[in-house]
Amino acid sequence: MIMKCLFPVAGYGTRFLPATKAQPKEMLPILTKPLIQYGVEEAFAAGMKNIAFVTGRTKRAIEDHFDVTYELEDQISGTSKESQLDDIRELIAICTFSYTRQAHMRGLGDAILTGETLIGDRPFGVILADDLCVGEPDGVMAQMVRVYEKYRCSIVAVEEVPIEDVGRYGVVKGRQLDDRNILVEHMVEKPAPQDAPSNLAIIGRYILTPDIFEILRNTPPGKNGEVQLTDALQIQAANGKVIAYRFQGRRFDCGSVEGFVAATNFFFSCRKDAR
Ligand code: UTP
């Protein structure tokens, strides 16, 4: 059973300035729910009740969101608005939330290494909340837990992207095991289209085995001078210990304005259909 899920949320979110000048990108809402809550709900649905955040400056609103707000709750108690808090109340009642800070933005690999103190020595999930996933029929992390139970190694979620977009992702290549699973042999971070080994891009969902921490400790800065998770995963892949999983469902890149708008439209049309 994987109990812990790590949320690296220390990034500056520069693509959403000025909105992210004094508030976390992860608190931007798709309709009425912040991105980070969608991510935590996905982890919870996968059985992960220990939620760990790697935060930074200007991220305090995330801590407040996953805490009781007495005055507000008292104010709306007994009104029709109370039901809007049902989901977050359930998370607060059942999950635990812990926090540590990444002092310098040295990349996703460094953020995950910073989270070691909260994770310990068991396999764990990682969710990048700006990738908003709508799994079908189950959440993407729940799908990945099943893949982990079969292969017992690190799992990365992948999807095909247009070849001209590969430079924004880690890209994998390997041996097809079945329709959805690939034993990764090679991976490269943000390749130029002509150098990309495939168009299978890693999205913001991972299950990692805890040996990743020792590997990250010994991983020098790579692309853009950042400690790249992909470089550390490549070491595991060389030992046949990484599966790329083509998830079932949709992903919205809410770190970009286009993806954010697409997600908003999608969730709005779902809500209209539900009425
Ligand atoms: P991104 O590069 O997509 O996010 O990192 P960003 O830096 O916040 O956004 P832009 O590009 O400036 O608009 C992917 C994820 O990794 C986290 C980010 O918070 C985001 O969830 N991250 C990245 C860290 O926690 N620490 C880092 O040093 C880098």
Side-chain angles (χ1 to χ4, degrees):
M1 194 69 174
I2 300 180
M3 297 299 295
K4 295 189 179 178
C5 191
L6 186 66
F7 289 78
V9 293
Y12 293 129
T14 51
R15 283 168 290 173
F16 272 89
L17 284 170
T20 48
K21 186 168 173 288
Q23 64 163 341
K25 164 172 80 173
E26 297 77 11
M27 286 302 292
L28 296 175
I30 299 295
L31 304 191
T32 55
K33 195 189 287 184
L35 282 170
I36 192 72
Q37 190 179 330
Y38 287 95
V40 172
E41 286 176 1
E42 185 183 326
F44 180 57
M48 300 171 185
K49 299 193 180 90
N50 303 140
I51 307 298
F53 296 95
V54 177
T55 70
R57 287 173 291 280
T58 77
K59 302 287 179 168
R60 190 170 284 166
I62 295 175
E63 285 185 50
D64 290 339
H65 188 69
F66 293 102
D67 196 0
V68 178
T69 320
Y70 288 106
E71 300 83 351
L72 169 74
E73 303 207 14
D74 189 49
Q75 181 97 36
I76 65 170
S77 168
T79 73
S80 59
K81 291 185 184 139
E82 207 174 1
S83 63
Q84 285 178 242
L85 293 179
D86 285 352
D87 293 347
I88 184 72
R89 278 179 168 167
E90 185 186 17
L91 293 177
I92 292 168
I94 300 177
C95 297
T96 65
F97 299 92
S98 51
Y99 302 84
T100 189
R101 276 197 182 205
Q102 185 187 18
H104 304 283
M105 295 315 117
R106 293 201 182 110
L108 179 59
D110 180 69
I112 288 178
L113 184 56
T114 304
E116 179 180 19
T117 169
L118 304 176
I119 295 295
D121 58 0
R122 305 288 304 275
F124 60 103
V126 175
I127 290 183
L128 306 186
D130 46 4
D131 264 345
L132 176 50
C133 290
V134 183
E136 285 163 15
D138 300 324
V140 173
M141 190 50 84
Q143 296 173 31
M144 293 172 72
V145 167
R146 289 198 289 272
V147 179
Y148 173 79
E149 280 164 0
K150 182 164 178 199
Y151 293 103
R152 302 269 158 187
C153 65
S154 288
I155 316 290
V156 299
V158 292
E159 73 174 1
E160 287 184 28
V161 298
I163 194 75
E164 60 272 21
D165 292 347
V166 288
R168 290 168 29 208
Y169 300 93
V171 174
V172 305
K173 188 178 167 58
R175 182 156 60 83
Q176 197 82 37
L177 298 176
D178 57 41
D179 281 5
R180 299 213 165 268
N181 295 303
I182 295 153
L183 180 63
V184 178
E185 290 162 347
H186 184 50
M187 54 209 311
V188 33
E189 182 64 24
K190 300 187 173 64
Q194 64 275 16
D195 302 330
S198 76
N199 68 338
L200 274 180
I202 304 175
I203 64 138
R205 299 290 182 279
Y206 309 80
I207 289 177
L208 300 175
T209 52
D211 55 309
I212 198 76
F213 295 124
E214 194 51 39
I215 300 173
L216 281 168
R217 243 187 294 285
N218 294 303
T219 301
K223 264 262 157 71
N224 302 337
E226 297 185 333
V227 178
Q228 298 290 351
L229 177 60
T230 307
D231 293 344
L233 282 166
Q234 171 68 43
I235 307 268
Q236 291 187 328
N239 294 316
K241 296 289 186 194
V242 180
I243 296 285
Y245 168 65
R246 287 175 199 259
F247 64 97
Q248 289 178 274
R250 288 186 69 166
R251 173 192 70 110
F252 297 95
D253 173 13
C254 293
S256 74
V257 173
E258 297 77 10
F260 190 88
V261 171
T264 302
N265 289 334
F266 175 82
F267 278 85
F268 188 61
S269 65
C270 292
R271 190 159 89 171
K272 271 199 310 205
D273 291 348
R275 276 191 190 142

